[in-house]
Amino acid sequence: MQSCAAQSTIVVEKVHEYIDNPRKDLSSAGVTRIIDNNNVLRKYEGTWKGQLNGISYNLLFKKITRTDDGLTEDLLILKYHIKNTQTNTTIDNTLNLPDDSVYVPSVGYLDDKDFYQLSFNGGQNKCGISGQLFISVFNNKMGITMLQVPGFSPIANSCNEAVTIFPPSQPIRLIKQ
C-alpha cells in the first residue's frame, strides 16, 4: 500500500523558517528531506584551531547525512580535542568517538543570519556545560559563542572547578587549517 501523503525536500537555508515559526512544522508540511543542495555547509567543514587563556582548541566540523523518524537531513557534527597548553594535558577529546555518540553535537541548523546554531551537550554535560552554540565563518576565521541553557546547573561534587571545557565562557576565534 502506497502513501498518498505529500513528500517534499527543502534546502538547509530554509529550515529556520520552520524552527522560527511555531505555526510551521517540518512533519506537518510533509518535509522528508533537508538537503545542502547549494553547499552552504562547506564553509564550516574542516579542522579549526585556536587558543584562548592557555587552552588550545582543535575542532573538527564534518557534514553528514542522517535519517531519523522518516526525515533525512544534511547537517554538521562537531568533534573536538581541548588541551591545556601549559601542562600539555587533555581536558576533553571527542575526536575518536563515533559520529552518532551522544557526546558529539549534531542537532543544528543554519539560521536566517548565516549562523550555524548547534545544540551542545558535551562530555562534561554533568558539569552544566550545555547550551546553544552560535557559529559563524568569515574569511576562513570562525567565531563561536554559546548561549547557556537556562536552569541547567552543575551536579554537586561531580565537577573539577579547575577544568576549562569547550566552549569557553567568552567568544573564541579559530582559524581553518
Side-chain angles (χ1 to χ4, degrees), residues 17-53:
E17 293 176 7
Y18 293 85
I19 292 173
D20 296 340
N21 185 345
R23 291 187 210 126
K24 279 184 136 179
D25 179 75
L26 288 167
S27 61
S28 297
V31 175
T32 57
R33 179 74 171 100
I34 299 170
I35 190 168
D36 185 19
N37 201 43
N38 300 314
N39 291 313
V40 296
L41 299 181
R42 182 179 299 172
K43 71 180 179 182
Y44 299 92
E45 286 184 280
T47 300
W48 298 82
K49 293 184 179 184
Q51 288 191 23
L52 181 67
N53 300 329

Side-chain angles (χ1 to χ4, degrees), residues 7 12 30 57-58 85-86 89 106 141-142 155 167 170-171 173 177:
Q7 296 182 356
V12 294
Y57 298 88
N58 178 10
T85 58
Q86 296 164 347
T89 56
S106 65
K141 292 183 180 171
M142 177 178 282
I155 298 170
Q170 54 191 312
R173 293 258 179 237
Q177 303 302 298

